[in-house]
Amino acid sequence: MAHEVILMGMGNPLLDISAAVDEQYLQKYEEMANNPNVEYTAGGATQNSIRVAQWMLQIPGATTYIGCIGKDKFGEEMKKNSKLAGVNVQYYEDESTPTGTCAVCVVGDQRSLVANLSAANCYKSEHLKRPENWALVEKAKYFYIAGFFLPVSPDSIQLVSEHAAAHDKIFMMNLSAPYICEFCKDALEKFLPYMDFLFGNETEARTFSKVQGWETENVEEIALRLSRWPKASGTHKRIVVITQGADPVVVAEDGKVKKFPVILLPKDKIVDTNGAGDAFVGGFLSQLVQEKSIEECVRAGCYAANVIVQRPGCTFPEKPDFN
């Protein structure tokens, strides 16, 4: 059962700054923080997933998250927001760089995202090696890192992945974006052997296949090939989980593929699909750390994504009603 700090995430923390705006406003999004109706949410892909897992678990301090922020107003906002969500955050605070932000400009039911990594790009493995932070690594049994962190701190990923392999813990990553599959090809290949779970969506999977010269666009075949990629440690087999929007979730495990339908929503119920993939992973992880079956993990992932898409941003009600 989940206990204190069982799940650890590492990634690029971005403060989501959301406001409903008009077309002209989009041209000058920098003024967003002055908008009276602005909303702040602790964001960034990994942090979203960890926040959702924490919400699903409802066990204080079951999750921890590490990343880099600036010493500024937005950094304070991020800390406040994450602590409210119950996540044990250990941010590295960069003195000279502002907190990373993502401006979310909402025009009707469409949104434009403008990300500025800033401090999120400055994470250093020295912070991870500090005794108080490494103690959290020692405590955690599951590790999740989005692919977006590959160009930021590969040495931090190496420390955690090698620790997980040496101690029979579960190490998980996400393909995150087509450009990660293209421009971080070598880093992905380096860490793939350590991955016990790999998440992604159909576009990312197809890009990975193209970069590898696999000459297939078949998501099931790609998932199978990813699951068969050699492993650093023989303790756990690799499980590959690919989401496909409204189409079934593809899970490759033990040389077989299973497909799980998602919860379909009428169009008028969908408020914001941004963060649905992050939420799916968060829901999935919340059951995985409780050693539930893959079916249950997928069901929880679909439930969490379903809740998130009916709300603005990666936000959720006070308590889940997943049973």
Side-chain angles (χ1 to χ4, degrees):
M1 184 48 201
H3 55 85
E4 211 189 334
V5 185
I6 188 161
L7 170 63
M8 178 180 219
M10 235 178 5
N12 303 341
L14 301 176
L15 187 69
D16 287 348
I17 306 171
S18 313
V21 299
D22 58 24
E23 278 293 343
Q24 282 127 354
Y25 191 92
L26 264 186
Q27 316 307 320
K28 49 180 175 56
Y29 70 90
E30 292 94 344
E31 296 170 16
M32 268 190 94
N34 305 327
N35 186 309
N37 305 315
V38 73
E39 286 177 19
Y40 297 108
T41 318
T46 304
Q47 187 160 237
N48 281 342
S49 296
I50 297 295
R51 279 173 51 245
V52 170
Q54 178 62 48
W55 169 69
M56 290 282 286
L57 281 164
Q58 294 286 308
I59 299 164
T63 62
T64 189
Y65 174 79
I66 280 180
C68 183
I69 61 173
K71 262 191 144 68
D72 52 20
K73 189 186 95 174
F74 286 165
E76 289 307 311
E77 199 67 55
M78 184 102 76
K79 282 193 268 191
K80 187 176 84 183
N81 209 288
S82 302
K83 283 175 180 156
L84 270 175
V87 178
N88 171 21
V89 290
Q90 298 297 327
Y91 296 124
Y92 167 54
E93 295 185 33
D94 189 295
E95 303 272 351
S96 56
T97 320
T99 296
T101 53
C102 182
V104 185
C105 306
V106 187
V107 184
D109 61 354
Q110 297 296 312
R111 51 208 59 234
S112 293
L113 304 178
V114 188
N116 178 7
L117 286 182
S118 294
N121 219 0
C122 301
Y123 189 78
K124 304 280 182 288
S125 58
E126 287 65 47
H127 176 260
L128 183 65
K129 291 178 190 162
R130 285 183 198 163
E132 66 274 23
N133 295 329
W134 192 253
L136 296 170
V137 174
E138 301 265 356
K139 269 186 192 167
K141 290 190 166 56
Y142 296 82
F143 301 94
Y144 174 69
I145 303 174
F148 293 122
F149 203 55
L150 284 166
V152 174
S153 189
D155 44 350
S156 298
I157 300 176
Q158 186 163 351
L159 285 168
V160 169
S161 60
E162 287 176 354
H163 168 85
H167 297 85
D168 294 344
K169 296 179 176 184
I170 303 287
F171 179 74
M172 305 170 280
M173 286 196 74
N174 199 313
L175 293 172
S176 292
Y179 81 86
I180 295 290
C181 300
E182 290 171 325
F183 301 114
C184 299
K185 176 182 182 281
D186 294 349
L188 261 178
E189 288 175 5
K190 178 182 175 178
F191 294 118
L192 242 172
Y194 292 95
M195 295 179 206
D196 300 303
F197 281 81
L198 174 62
F199 297 91
N201 67 26
E202 76 280 39
T203 317
E204 294 150 8
R206 288 185 178 123
T207 305
F208 187 91
S209 168
K210 191 174 128 198
V211 169
Q212 292 297 324
W214 286 353
E215 295 184 356
T216 178
E217 293 236 315
N218 182 311
V219 171
E220 294 171 45
E221 193 184 323
I222 297 164
L224 267 178
R225 289 185 77 162
L226 278 164
S227 71
R228 292 191 184 119
W229 195 286
K231 286 214 72 218
S233 136
T235 315
H236 309 286
K237 56 195 180 208
R238 182 179 306 109
I239 298 175
V240 176
V241 184
I242 307 293
T243 57
Q244 310 187 85
D247 292 328
V249 177
V250 170
V251 177
E253 174 185 13
D254 275 342
K256 294 187 206 66
V257 168
K258 284 186 182 163
K259 288 171 29 178
F260 300 90
V262 302
I263 309 161
L264 294 173
L265 275 175
K267 250 198 145 69
D268 61 335
K269 280 269 171 74
I270 298 172
V271 174
D272 183 3
T273 55
N274 184 34
D278 301 339
F280 173 87
V281 172
F284 189 103
L285 297 181
S286 73
Q287 303 309 296
L288 185 70
V289 303
Q290 298 180 74
E291 297 177 6
K292 298 284 172 66
S293 69
I294 294 299
E295 285 79 358
E296 273 302 280
C297 295
V298 172
R299 193 169 74 85
C302 292
Y303 163 79
N306 186 270
V307 169
I308 297 302
V309 298
Q310 296 183 67
R311 301 168 64 90
C314 195
T315 62
F316 30 80
E318 192 187 342
K319 285 202 162 47
D321 59 0
F322 176 75
N323 49 37

